[in-house]
Amino acid sequence: EIGASLVDEGAADGDSRVYGTDLRWKIGAATELRAEVARSESDDPARAAAANAHRAELRHVSERLDARAYIGETEPGFGTGQQLSTEVGMRKAGIDARMRFGESWQGLTEVFTEEALETGAERKHGSLELRRETATNRVGFGMRTVEDEGLTNGTQRSEQAFASGSVDLWNQRVTLRGSVDAALGGGNSSIDYPNRYVLGADYALRPDVKLYTEYEHADGANFDADMARVGVRATPWNRAQLNSSVSQQATEYGPRTFANFGLTQGWQVTDRLALDAGIDQSNTL
């Protein structure tokens, strides 16, 4: 399949346009290539006069292997404001894969490099994980390495071993879970990958109402933080989920207590069409 698209947006400060073409090529029963090239132009002085974007992804999905290789770049100022802020001005390429071994075991790997085009800051990430899942318990363990270069405070690196697990007790009425990310050789300076320890428990008050509590501690070369959370998740009717919690957080900036409330609702319009809507709110107490 080959397609083309045009978006024209009129505004008082100046019109904007996005032109694009895309390709979908089903190479085999389990392998597919997708590619897209686009350019945006704007008369609005607050936006870039012109910017380009492109991406390509090769995906293979079979009974045992789910893998993809991708590359993409979005220049600063691309689009009409519809792009995620974390994707604009970025170049990224990588490979991730999941291999199944029998009914319960699977191996996962992820390797990517990501660069901010305006600052030259770059992240290199690589991880391996072995995971086992059954009807009542889940466990996983692995290793990762992350290196952030081009930052104002120099190169930051985290080298970690990580593990996670959960177990269902008393006919799945109680779930105990936990995870740990621990530095190897003291490397925990990447801001997104500090030492992290999480303990939590879920209690099914009713089939449609679950109480949960969680405690998290994180410490890295640049910060320390603790967070405790208690809340309730409910499914009051079909395809609806209600989530409410109170959290207490302590960091180097001081303590903070805040409440979250969220509601999502879905509708199955036809066999092939589903719609979802949601609202979330966070209030500092």
Side-chain angles (χ1 to χ4, degrees):
E1 296 179 1
I2 298 177
S5 59
L6 166 65
V7 177
D8 186 85
E9 181 183 74
D13 294 331
D15 298 348
S16 298
R17 297 158 298 280
V18 181
Y19 315 91
T21 182
D22 60 273
L23 165 73
R24 177 179 175 268
W25 178 18
K26 201 163 183 62
I27 301 172
T31 307
E32 182 178 86
L33 173 67
R34 289 177 178 262
E36 183 178 5
V37 178
R39 177 179 177 84
S40 68
E41 299 175 352
S42 181
D43 303 323
D44 186 345
R47 291 178 172 172
N52 301 312
H54 67 266
R55 65 183 180 91
E57 177 180 295
L58 180 66
R59 179 180 286 274
H60 178 87
V61 180
S62 63
E63 185 177 349
R64 294 192 60 188
L65 176 64
D66 185 346
R68 67 174 184 138
Y70 59 90
I71 185 170
E73 178 180 312
T74 304
E75 293 181 351
F78 173 79
T80 58
Q82 87 284 8
Q83 299 292 123
L84 291 173
S85 60
T86 53
E87 295 179 354
V88 177
M90 301 298 294
R91 178 188 296 124
K92 187 174 182 179
I95 298 172
D96 56 61
R98 178 176 61 184
M99 173 71 77
R100 298 173 182 84
F101 308 101
E103 294 294 327
S104 303
W105 290 92
Q106 53 184 306
L108 300 94
T109 183
E110 183 180 23
V111 179
F112 70 82
T113 177
E114 187 175 31
E115 180 183 359
L117 299 177
E118 290 186 305
T119 65
E122 183 179 11
R123 166 168 290 177
K124 299 175 182 177
H125 177 284
S127 65
L128 286 170
E129 182 181 4
L130 187 61
R131 188 181 297 172
R132 183 178 187 271
E133 297 182 2
T134 68
T136 58
N137 60 75
R138 292 152 292 278
V139 62
F141 50 90
M143 299 178 65
R144 74 166 60 93
T145 176
V146 182
E147 184 174 89
D148 298 330
E149 300 177 329
L151 306 179
T152 55
N153 54 350
T155 298
Q156 305 292 309
R157 182 180 294 106
S158 289
E159 297 175 346
Q160 296 178 319
F162 59 89
S164 62
S166 66
V167 58
D168 296 330
L169 305 173
W170 298 301
N171 197 26
Q172 299 185 339
R173 195 174 186 93
V174 174
T175 300
L176 303 179
R177 50 189 168 81
S179 64
V180 57
D181 299 73
L184 300 173
N188 64 345
S189 57
S190 176
I191 190 67
D192 295 322
Y193 296 91
N195 293 331
R196 178 177 281 112
Y197 312 92
V198 180
L199 288 174
D202 303 333
Y203 176 70
L205 187 65
R206 293 174 17 182
D208 57 350
V209 178
K210 182 175 290 187
L211 307 178
Y212 65 92
T213 182
E214 186 175 84
Y215 170 76
E216 177 180 345
H217 172 76
D219 64 82
N222 302 302
F223 74 97
D224 293 291
D226 293 271
M227 181 181 292
R229 180 184 297 112
V230 293
V232 57
R233 283 188 293 265
T235 307
W237 51 81
N238 186 40
R239 292 181 62 86
Q241 186 174 79
L242 178 68
N243 183 49
S244 180
S245 67
V246 176
S247 303
Q248 188 171 50
Q249 184 180 39
T251 70
E252 62 269 35
Y253 302 110
R256 174 176 178 244
T257 301
F258 58 99
N260 288 94
F261 174 81
L263 173 64
T264 61
Q265 175 67 60
W267 297 271
Q268 192 69 40
V269 182
T270 68
D271 291 341
R272 297 187 178 186
L273 177 63
L275 302 177
D276 291 277
I279 183 171
D280 288 280
Q281 185 181 53
S282 178
N283 291 314
T284 298
L285 305 179

